[in-house]
Amino acid sequence: MLVERARDGDPRAVARLITLVESGDETLPAIAAALAPHTGRAQVIGLTGSPGVGKSTTTNELVRALRARGHRVGVLAIDPSSPFTGGAILGDRVRMQDHATDPGVYIRSMSSRGHLGGLSAATPQAVRVLEGAGCDVVLVETVGVGQAEVEVASLADTTLVLLAPGMGDAIQAVKAGILEIADVFVVNKADRDGADATVRDIQGMIALGERGPGQWRPQVVRAIAARGEGIDDIAAAIDKHRAWLVEHDELRRRREARAAAEVEAIALGVLRARIGSLRDGTQLSALATEVASGATDPYAAAEALLAQLSG
């Protein structure tokens, strides 16, 4: 019933479904089964970058551009949660008030709940909810990330990495990590001093990369999102990347890899729950005693534990 209401554009039903996903409700398998026939059609765009580069402002302006094309847009904005209380300000929603009354836009802020990688553990299933609810495009905005949080690349069809002038010297541009996952680089706040140097550093990094014939070369776009400048160029770069994905059958490959990672995460979650239940029994305690006393080694104990799980 919730899925049907979500398909009809009821925002309360969409909100309820995402809440059930976040809480890991026991009805989740039934919800996923009901959503499955309606998923796999939306374009998923990831936006990531360090804190303060303008991710929320850029997302807000991208929503405006996509709505002008007649697309129904869903936004998942991930915010960091407190390591002490688990709460979150969910400030991204505050910055997107321009679209609060638009029935063609659904915005959901989600707390990361301590999950590493820049996303929430529930983000993949939340994307499925928005796909099932009829969104043509889903924008996933990560928390402010460092150099190593690259999880969004495994979720998105197209990944935008936002940068701002003052990112550091040219050495920062050639470090392994987040800069390697970009399909499109957006140098935001391009009216500030140092924007030209940032563009040159990124272009130099791209030139150093080894690419075979027909492989995608990341685009570099300048923008001033706070003034709405450069948004059309970002949208054009996304369109160009999507055309490349389709032409080279990369879109299918990425989505299959995404599905594989999603299935693996669910299976591992079930295994963790089963291992957790074993802590209440005697098997794990007995094995731990044997390892601590030297009667057996941890690998043999782990094999015995896995044998019990599979049995």
Side-chain angles (χ1 to χ4, degrees):
M1 182 182 66
L2 279 174
V3 171
E4 288 303 317
R5 284 169 50 200
R7 293 286 299 166
D8 292 337
D10 182 354
R12 290 178 181 270
V14 177
R16 180 61 180 157
L17 286 170
I18 294 180
T19 298
L20 292 172
V21 164
E22 284 191 283
S23 62
D25 192 83
E26 60 183 12
T27 61
L28 197 50
I31 291 171
L35 286 170
H38 310 294
T39 58
R41 300 179 183 88
Q43 181 181 10
V44 182
I45 300 171
L47 296 93
T48 190
S50 58
V53 295
K55 295 187 298 296
S56 296
T57 306
T58 303
T59 300
N60 188 64
E61 294 302 316
L62 270 177
V63 170
R64 196 187 312 280
L66 291 166
R67 289 295 291 144
R69 297 181 178 187
H71 293 314
R72 190 174 179 184
V73 184
V75 179
L76 293 174
I78 317 300
D79 270 319
S81 54
S82 168
F84 303 105
T85 67
I89 294 177
L90 305 181
D92 290 316
R93 191 182 302 177
V94 176
R95 294 193 181 99
M96 300 182 199
Q97 289 297 311
D98 295 351
H99 310 290
T101 59
D102 186 345
V105 179
Y106 182 86
I107 300 172
R108 175 69 174 237
S109 293
M110 300 174 67
S111 169
S112 65
R113 301 189 181 188
H115 184 76
L116 302 178
L119 300 177
S120 162
T123 305
Q125 289 300 317
V127 168
R128 286 188 173 276
V129 170
L130 292 181
E131 284 185 305
C135 290
D136 303 302
V137 182
V138 178
L139 301 175
V140 180
E141 178 193 329
T142 73
V143 301
V145 300
Q147 292 178 319
E149 289 83 6
V150 297
E151 188 175 355
V152 68
S154 64
L155 179 69
D157 300 328
T158 300
T159 301
L160 276 59
V161 173
L162 275 67
L163 306 166
M167 59 176 282
D169 58 20
I171 298 299
Q172 295 296 334
V174 296
K175 284 185 177 180
I178 190 172
L179 296 183
E180 294 181 288
I181 68 171
D183 299 307
V184 178
F185 287 100
V186 178
V187 179
N188 194 28
K189 306 180 181 181
D191 54 336
R192 294 187 177 181
D193 292 340
D196 291 341
T198 300
V199 171
R200 285 196 302 271
D201 289 343
I202 295 302
Q203 289 175 335
M205 181 206 73
I206 294 171
L208 289 174
E210 295 182 3
R211 292 177 184 82
Q215 285 189 299
W216 174 252
R217 180 184 177 88
Q219 307 286 290
V220 183
V221 181
R222 298 170 185 253
I224 309 173
R227 300 207 297 252
E229 297 179 14
I231 303 302
D232 289 340
D233 294 335
I234 297 174
I238 293 171
D239 290 341
K240 185 175 181 180
H241 182 248
R242 183 171 179 82
W244 177 85
L245 289 173
V246 173
E247 180 183 352
H248 292 81
D249 200 30
E250 182 69 12
L251 185 62
R252 177 193 59 78
R253 191 199 67 78
R254 288 194 181 195
R255 291 187 172 181
E256 288 181 356
R258 185 165 82 207
E262 193 174 348
V263 171
E264 182 182 18
I266 292 170
L268 288 174
V270 172
L271 284 175
R272 288 191 190 99
R274 291 182 182 176
I275 290 173
S277 66
L278 287 176
R279 289 182 179 274
D280 299 328
T282 59
Q283 176 75 4
L284 185 57
S285 297
L287 288 170
T289 300
E290 292 181 18
V291 171
S293 66
T296 188
D297 64 272
Y299 287 95
E303 287 290 340
L305 187 63
L306 288 172
Q308 181 177 348
L309 284 173
S310 62

